[in-house]
Amino acid sequence: MPGIKLDIVTAERVVYSAEVDEVVAPGAEGQLGILPHHAPLMTILQGGELIVKKGGQEESLAISGGFLEVRPDHVIVLADQAERAEEIDAARAEEARKRAEERLKQKPSGTDEQRAEAALRRAMVRLSVLEKIKTRRKV
């Protein structure tokens, strides 16, 4: 069965580019499963785990939001930030989580509060992806 071309890009780099069997993405209203010949679609992505399935293997990426465009033979993810699971530094993500929580305990307001909440969400997504990877490897 032919696959579907997947490109995951951020403002800084191309994070992933290959032909895959399936893409599972964190849509704004829930998980989206994309297979070859999917109907055209454009949607907002929320932060979460993006799963790429190819040849019976799964690869996880942490994304912090963006957009997903589906064409019959191509999926394009324009992510605010994206990292492959193997690129995530667990200690750094844990430190970022702690820093964001400390900032939020100080009761910031306005933009400072929004930045702290966004930093906390990004750290939690990274840690969640790492935890899911560990769980899958044990099974």
Side-chain angles (χ1 to χ4, degrees):
M1 179 169 135
I4 188 166
K5 175 78 169 138
L6 170 64
D7 288 312
I8 301 172
V9 297
T10 67
E12 293 83 30
R13 66 187 179 121
V14 175
V15 178
Y16 189 97
S17 184
E19 188 167 299
V20 302
D21 300 325
E22 182 178 359
V23 179
V24 180
E29 295 187 25
Q31 292 290 95
L32 295 165
I34 309 296
L35 296 168
H37 308 292
H38 192 286
L41 165 74
M42 183 146 199
T43 190
I44 295 172
L45 296 175
Q46 65 180 358
E49 178 184 25
L50 187 142
I51 301 169
V52 177
K53 297 180 181 183
K54 180 178 178 180
Q57 302 290 315
E58 287 187 6
E59 184 172 350
S60 293
L61 294 94
I63 64 167
S64 63
F67 297 92
L68 175 123
E69 180 183 6
V70 179
R71 300 176 189 164
D73 62 346
H74 198 173
V75 175
I76 302 167
V77 174
L78 302 174
D80 297 333
Q81 293 181 333
E83 297 172 277
R84 292 174 181 242
E86 64 268 13
E87 296 173 336
I88 299 171
D89 181 331
R92 192 171 140 240
E94 183 61 32
E95 282 299 314
R97 182 190 63 80
K98 288 177 184 177
R99 280 193 311 272
E101 287 176 344
E102 285 300 317
R103 278 185 276 173
L104 287 170
K105 284 180 185 176
Q106 297 170 4
K107 307 264 190 243
S109 61
T111 304
D112 290 337
E113 181 180 24
Q114 291 171 347
R115 287 181 181 159
E117 288 172 348
L120 180 58
R121 281 192 302 272
R122 283 191 304 272
M124 295 303 291
V125 164
R126 289 179 178 123
L127 292 168
S128 173
V129 166
L130 289 175
E131 188 59 37
K132 287 178 182 178
I133 294 298
K134 287 180 190 175
T135 303
R136 281 191 205 127
R137 289 182 182 157
K138 290 179 183 177
V139 174

